[in-house]
Amino acid sequence: MASALLFTSSNAVSDASDGQQTVSDYPKGTIVDDPYSIPKQDINDMLLHIQAGIQQDKKQKAVSAYATNSLNDNRAASGIYDYIVIDSDYVYSYEEAPNQQPTLDIQKAPTDVSVYDPSVAEDTYNNVESVNTDTYYNLDHTYADPNMLSSSLAAQSSFQIADGIGGRQTIQRAGGYLSTLLQLPKDSEVQQEESAYNYSGFSSGAYEADMGLVYDSSVGYNLNRRGWKPTMTIKRNSTVASNSNMVSGYNDVQFRNAYASDSNVVLYVWYNYNGKARMKITGTAICADRACTTEQNTSLTTIIETDSSSLNISKVDKWKLLSTVVSNQNHGRNKATYSSIKIDNTLVPSSAFDSPQTEAATITRDFSGNNNKVTITVSG
């Protein structure tokens, strides 16, 4: 099994002329760009899997486990669907957009790990134990004062990010998946020296998963707009070094499109979805398709999953919520507000939240009433 899997959407333009453009031979008349002459049956099988997954997701939007923590957007089922499957050899990037033929773009990751951009895997921490100074927090992770409504906390357990700054909130709670409503920051609240990330994920033994969004300052039809693109990294033993690395620039399923700044998205994270690691994001994109032929707000659902069920991660040690900036000078700004934080569709209680960890950041938590909110503000 590969030691790590990494995917990041990019602005790289895929050269369709290198592959096969076929409509009638594939399910739903899908336009397939295959530069590698993959057997037609293998492509058919992948398309059937992806298209069945999209239909299943559309049906699940009406199920309470999904609807309870979903955006109030009736356009979601008729909006854009981007579905990315990462296997040990290829990345299959599929899009269904309104009034367009579905497309499948197939790309292969390079075997030369030297081209890997280490800024993508920035979730590497040197933790330093410190005294817990939160007077409302007991050692058993329960609040001593039940009347306390919210708290604004600096680093309760100081830590350092190897290549940047940010804040991390971990959660100790068993369950199959985490879901949360994520408020993305305004453009004025983001300043990146290299890159900025808002993401969830999990830790499980040797595995570390980062799943969420990365800021992109060149999207839109003329590449002069800003927005947020999905990114997913699965690491084993903190190592990203295998031929399954999805290097930034090698996949462009969203091309010029992105989730809008200053908007809400719903983020789902699974550690074992039929043996696969999986992420789903639903929100508002700035364009009606990946080429951004029309710049208009459009509902977009993105699903990214590992193809191999051999991951089969058995449990989660902890979940996490982060906002970070990659910077060699420890300089930059970012912000993320996570609310309605749930495990298996059950609101996570305050007792499950660990002490926050920050470097040049502040974490504010609100557990008043039915609230369940974590705001991470990075300001270095």
Side-chain angles (χ1 to χ4, degrees), residues 209-222:
D210 304 336
M211 301 168 161
L213 294 157
V214 59
Y215 193 62
D216 194 319
S217 58
S218 56
V219 293
Y221 183 77
N222 293 314

Side-chain angles (χ1 to χ4, degrees), residues 69 71 179-183 264-267 337-341:
N69 209 11
L71 295 174
S179 63
T180 181
L181 184 69
L182 167 58
Q183 170 70 43
N264 287 315
V265 300
V266 176
L267 173 63
T337 299
Y338 299 93
S339 60
S340 189
I341 306 162

Side-chain angles (χ1 to χ4, degrees), residues 8-36:
T8 302
S9 296
S10 79
N11 286 327
V13 179
S14 195
D15 185 1
S17 62
D18 291 341
Q20 303 167 358
Q21 295 292 324
T22 307
V23 176
S24 59
D25 291 344
Y26 293 103
K28 288 193 174 183
T30 303
I31 301 172
V32 175
D33 179 11
D34 171 25
Y36 309 104

Side-chain angles (χ1 to χ4, degrees), residues 33 41 52 74-75 112 118 138 190 206 209 215 220 225 238 247 262 273 283-284 300 327 343 346 353 359 361 365:
D33 179 11
Q41 187 59 52
N74 295 324
R75 300 170 301 158
D112 180 7
N138 291 326
V190 181
Y215 193 62
R225 296 189 60 182
S238 299
V247 178
D262 193 23
Y273 188 93
T284 301
L300 170 63
S327 166
I343 305 294
T346 299
F353 288 80
E359 181 184 3
R365 307 185 300 190

Side-chain angles (χ1 to χ4, degrees), residues 14 84 115 308 356:
S14 195
I84 301 99
V115 300
S308 175

Side-chain angles (χ1 to χ4, degrees), residues 69-190:
N69 209 11
S70 65
L71 295 174
N72 184 19
D73 186 355
N74 295 324
R75 300 170 301 158
S78 59
I80 307 168
Y81 264 85
D82 287 345
Y83 202 119
I84 301 99
V85 178
I86 307 170
D87 74 8
S88 57
D89 297 312
Y90 303 102
V91 182
Y92 298 85
S93 302
Y94 177 86
E95 177 168 280
E96 284 186 10
N99 305 315
Q100 295 194 29
Q101 289 292 122
T103 60
L104 178 68
D105 178 74
I106 304 172
Q107 297 184 40
K108 189 177 180 67
T111 56
D112 180 7
V113 296
S114 65
V115 300
Y116 166 66
D117 179 3
S119 67
V120 176
E122 51 72 42
D123 187 11
T124 302
Y125 306 100
N126 299 315
N127 291 308
V128 180
E129 296 297 329
S130 64
V131 177
N132 187 343
T133 59
D134 182 359
T135 58
Y136 296 99
Y137 220 68
N138 291 326
L139 294 178
D140 62 354
H141 296 285
T142 60
Y143 278 105
D145 181 359
N147 296 317
M148 193 199 70
L149 300 183
S150 65
S151 58
S152 180
L153 305 138
Q156 301 306 310
S157 178
S158 61
F159 77 139
Q160 293 179 335
I161 301 176
D163 55 358
I165 54 177
R168 176 174 64 172
Q169 174 66 67
T170 55
I171 298 170
Q172 306 274 354
R173 195 74 169 177
Y177 69 94
L178 177 146
S179 63
T180 181
L181 184 69
L182 167 58
Q183 170 70 43
L184 295 171
K186 301 175 182 178
D187 289 331
S188 61
E189 294 174 310
V190 181

